[in-house]
Coordinates of all heavy atoms in Angstrom, one line a residue:
S1 N 93.9 85.0 111.3 CA 92.5 85.1 111.5 C 92.1 86.3 112.3 O 92.7 86.6 113.3 CB 92.0 83.9 112.3 OG 92.2 82.7 111.6
Y2 N 91.2 87.1 111.8 CA 90.9 88.4 112.4 C 89.5 88.8 112.0 O 88.8 88.2 111.2 CB 91.9 89.5 111.9 CG 91.6 89.9 110.4 CD1 90.9 91.0 110.1 CD2 92.1 89.1 109.4 CE1 90.7 91.4 108.7 CE2 91.9 89.4 108.1 CZ 91.2 90.6 107.7 OH 91.0 90.9 106.4
A3 N 89.0 89.9 112.7 CA 87.8 90.6 112.3 C 88.0 92.1 112.3 O 88.8 92.6 113.1 CB 86.7 90.2 113.3
W4 N 87.3 92.8 111.4 CA 87.4 94.2 111.4 C 86.6 94.7 112.6 O 85.4 94.3 112.7 CB 86.8 94.8 110.1 CG 87.6 94.5 108.9 CD1 87.1 93.9 107.7 CD2 89.0 94.8 108.6 NE1 88.1 93.8 106.8 CE2 89.3 94.3 107.3 CE3 90.0 95.4 109.3 CZ2 90.5 94.4 106.7 CZ3 91.3 95.5 108.8 CH2 91.5 95.0 107.5
T5 N 87.2 95.5 113.4 CA 86.5 95.9 114.7 C 85.2 96.6 114.4 O 84.2 96.5 115.1 CB 87.4 96.7 115.5 OG1 88.7 96.0 115.7 CG2 86.8 97.1 116.9
D6 N 85.2 97.4 113.4 CA 84.0 98.3 113.1 C 83.2 97.7 112.0 O 82.3 98.4 111.4 CB 84.4 99.7 112.7 CG 85.6 99.7 111.7 OD1 86.1 98.7 111.3 OD2 85.9 100.8 111.3
E7 N 83.3 96.4 111.7 CA 82.5 95.8 110.6 C 81.4 94.9 111.3 O 81.7 94.2 112.2 CB 83.4 94.8 109.7 CG 82.6 94.1 108.6 CD 83.4 93.3 107.7 OE1 84.2 92.5 108.2 OE2 83.3 93.5 106.5
K8 N 80.2 95.0 110.8 CA 79.1 94.2 111.2 C 78.6 93.4 110.0 O 78.7 93.8 108.9 CB 78.0 95.1 111.7 CG 78.4 96.0 112.9 CD 78.8 95.2 114.1 CE 79.2 96.1 115.3 NZ 79.7 95.3 116.4
V9 N 78.0 92.3 110.4 CA 77.4 91.4 109.3 C 76.4 92.2 108.5 O 76.3 92.1 107.3 CB 76.7 90.2 110.0 CG1 75.8 89.5 109.0 CG2 77.8 89.2 110.5
S10 N 75.7 93.1 109.2 CA 74.7 94.0 108.5 C 75.3 95.1 107.7 O 74.6 95.7 106.8 CB 73.7 94.5 109.5 OG 74.4 95.3 110.5
A11 N 76.6 95.4 107.9 CA 77.2 96.5 107.2 C 78.7 96.1 106.9 O 79.6 96.6 107.5 CB 77.2 97.8 108.0
P12 N 78.9 95.3 105.8 CA 80.3 94.8 105.5 C 81.1 96.0 105.0 O 80.6 96.9 104.3 CB 80.0 93.8 104.3 CG 78.6 93.4 104.5 CD 77.9 94.6 105.0
I13 N 82.4 96.0 105.4 CA 83.3 97.0 104.9 C 84.6 96.4 104.3 O 85.4 97.2 103.8 CB 83.8 97.9 106.1 CG1 84.5 97.1 107.2 CG2 82.6 98.6 106.8 CD1 85.2 97.9 108.3
H14 N 84.7 95.1 104.3 CA 85.9 94.5 103.7 C 86.0 94.8 102.2 O 85.0 94.8 101.5 CB 85.8 93.0 103.9 CG 87.0 92.3 103.5 ND1 88.2 92.2 104.2 CD2 87.3 91.5 102.3 CE1 89.1 91.6 103.6 NE2 88.6 91.1 102.4
D15 N 87.2 95.1 101.8 CA 87.5 95.5 100.4 C 88.6 94.5 99.9 O 89.8 94.6 100.3 CB 88.0 96.9 100.4 CG 88.2 97.4 99.0 OD1 88.6 96.7 98.1 OD2 87.9 98.6 98.8
D16 N 88.2 93.6 99.0 CA 89.2 92.6 98.5 C 90.3 93.3 97.8 O 91.5 92.8 97.9 CB 88.5 91.7 97.5 CG 87.6 90.6 98.2 OD1 87.9 90.4 99.4 OD2 86.7 90.1 97.6
L17 N 90.1 94.4 97.1 CA 91.2 95.0 96.3 C 92.2 95.6 97.3 O 93.4 95.5 97.1 CB 90.6 96.1 95.4 CG 91.6 96.7 94.4 CD1 91.0 97.0 93.1 CD2 92.3 97.9 95.0
R18 N 91.7 96.3 98.3 CA 92.6 96.9 99.3 C 93.4 95.8 100.0 O 94.6 96.0 100.3 CB 91.8 97.7 100.4 CG 91.2 98.9 99.8 CD 90.7 99.8 101.0 NE 91.8 100.6 101.5 CZ 91.7 101.5 102.5 NH1 90.5 101.6 103.1 NH2 92.7 102.1 103.0
S19 N 92.8 94.7 100.3 CA 93.5 93.6 100.9 C 94.6 93.0 100.0 O 95.7 92.7 100.4 CB 92.6 92.5 101.4 OG 91.8 92.9 102.4
G20 N 94.2 92.9 98.7 CA 95.2 92.4 97.7 C 96.4 93.4 97.6 O 97.5 92.9 97.5
V21 N 96.1 94.7 97.6 CA 97.2 95.7 97.5 C 98.1 95.6 98.7 O 99.3 95.6 98.6 CB 96.6 97.1 97.3 CG1 97.7 98.1 97.5 CG2 96.0 97.2 95.9
S22 N 97.5 95.5 99.8 CA 98.3 95.3 101.1 C 99.2 94.1 101.0 O 100.4 94.2 101.4 CB 97.3 95.2 102.3 OG 98.0 95.0 103.5
Q23 N 98.7 93.0 100.5 CA 99.5 91.8 100.4 C 100.6 92.0 99.4 O 101.8 91.6 99.6 CB 98.6 90.7 100.0 CG 99.1 89.3 100.2 CD 98.1 88.2 99.8 OE1 97.7 88.1 98.6 NE2 97.6 87.5 100.8
W24 N 100.3 92.7 98.3 CA 101.3 92.9 97.2 C 102.4 93.8 97.7 O 103.6 93.5 97.5 CB 100.6 93.5 96.0 CG 101.4 93.5 94.7 CD1 102.3 92.6 94.3 CD2 101.4 94.5 93.8 NE1 102.8 93.0 93.1 CE2 102.3 94.2 92.7 CE3 100.7 95.7 93.6 CZ2 102.5 94.9 91.6 CZ3 100.9 96.5 92.5 CH2 101.8 96.1 91.5
V25 N 102.0 94.9 98.3 CA 103.1 95.8 98.8 C 103.9 95.1 99.9 O 105.1 95.3 100.0 CB 102.4 97.1 99.4 CG1 103.4 98.0 100.1 CG2 101.7 97.9 98.3
G26 N 103.2 94.3 100.6 CA 103.9 93.6 101.8 C 105.0 92.7 101.4 O 105.8 92.4 102.3
Y27 N 105.0 92.1 100.2 CA 106.1 91.3 99.9 C 107.2 92.0 99.0 O 108.3 91.6 98.9 CB 105.7 89.9 99.3 CG 105.3 89.9 97.8 CD1 106.2 89.9 96.8 CD2 103.9 89.8 97.5 CE1 105.8 89.9 95.5 CE2 103.5 89.8 96.2 CZ 104.4 89.8 95.2 OH 104.0 89.8 93.9
L28 N 106.7 93.1 98.3 CA 107.7 93.9 97.6 C 108.5 94.8 98.5 O 109.7 95.0 98.2 CB 106.9 94.8 96.5 CG 106.2 94.1 95.4 CD1 105.5 95.1 94.5 CD2 107.2 93.3 94.5
D29 N 107.9 95.3 99.6 CA 108.6 96.2 100.5 C 109.5 95.4 101.4 O 109.2 95.2 102.6 CB 107.5 96.9 101.3 CG 108.1 97.9 102.3 OD1 109.3 98.3 102.2 OD2 107.4 98.1 103.3
Q30 N 110.7 95.1 100.9 CA 111.6 94.2 101.7 C 112.4 95.0 102.7 O 112.9 94.4 103.7 CB 112.6 93.6 100.7 CG 112.0 92.5 99.8 CD 111.4 91.3 100.7 OE1 112.2 90.6 101.2 NE2 110.1 91.2 100.7
N31 N 112.5 96.3 102.7 CA 113.1 97.1 103.7 C 112.2 97.6 104.8 O 112.5 98.3 105.7 CB 114.0 98.2 103.2 CG 113.1 99.3 102.5 OD1 111.9 99.2 102.5 ND2 113.7 100.3 102.0
L32 N 110.9 97.2 104.6 CA 109.8 97.5 105.6 C 109.7 99.0 106.0 O 109.3 99.3 107.1 CB 110.1 96.7 106.9 CG 110.3 95.2 106.8 CD1 110.5 94.6 108.2 CD2 109.1 94.6 106.2
D33 N 109.9 99.8 104.9 CA 109.7 101.2 105.2 C 108.3 101.7 104.8 O 107.9 102.9 104.9 CB 110.7 102.1 104.4 CG 110.5 102.0 102.9 OD1 109.7 101.1 102.4 OD2 111.3 102.7 102.2
G34 N 107.4 100.7 104.4 CA 106.0 101.1 104.2 C 105.7 101.6 102.8 O 104.6 102.0 102.5
K35 N 106.7 101.4 101.9 CA 106.5 101.8 100.5 C 107.4 101.0 99.6 O 108.4 100.4 100.1 CB 106.8 103.3 100.3 CG 108.2 103.8 100.8 CD 108.3 105.3 100.8 CE 109.6 105.7 101.4 NZ 109.7 107.1 101.6
V36 N 107.1 101.0 98.3 CA 107.8 100.2 97.3 C 108.7 101.1 96.5 O 108.3 102.0 95.8 CB 106.9 99.4 96.4 CG1 107.7 98.6 95.4 CG2 105.9 98.5 97.2
Q37 N 110.0 100.9 96.7 CA 111.0 101.7 95.9 C 111.1 101.1 94.5 O 110.7 99.9 94.3 CB 112.4 101.6 96.6 CG 112.4 101.8 98.1 CD 112.2 103.3 98.4 OE1 112.4 104.1 97.6 NE2 111.8 103.5 99.7

């Protein structure tokens, strides 16, 4: 559970696609080097 520090209700910045990519890379990247080999 979190909130974007610089996000306001009046000015949303959340990006579903970016979150999805982050999640996808996050389980493929098993050596935790921040990229998918």
Side-chain angles (χ1 to χ4, degrees):
S1 296
Y2 71 100
W4 296 123
T5 305
D6 48 356
E7 180 177 50
K8 301 297 181 185
V9 165
S10 57
I13 63 171
H14 184 76
D15 187 325
D16 284 338
L17 189 145
R18 293 193 77 180
S19 292
V21 169
S22 174
Q23 198 177 66
W24 191 38
V25 172
Y27 77 80
L28 292 176
D29 176 24
Q30 290 296 291
N31 65 2
L32 304 182
D33 65 352
K35 55 191 175 185
V36 181
Q37 313 286 344

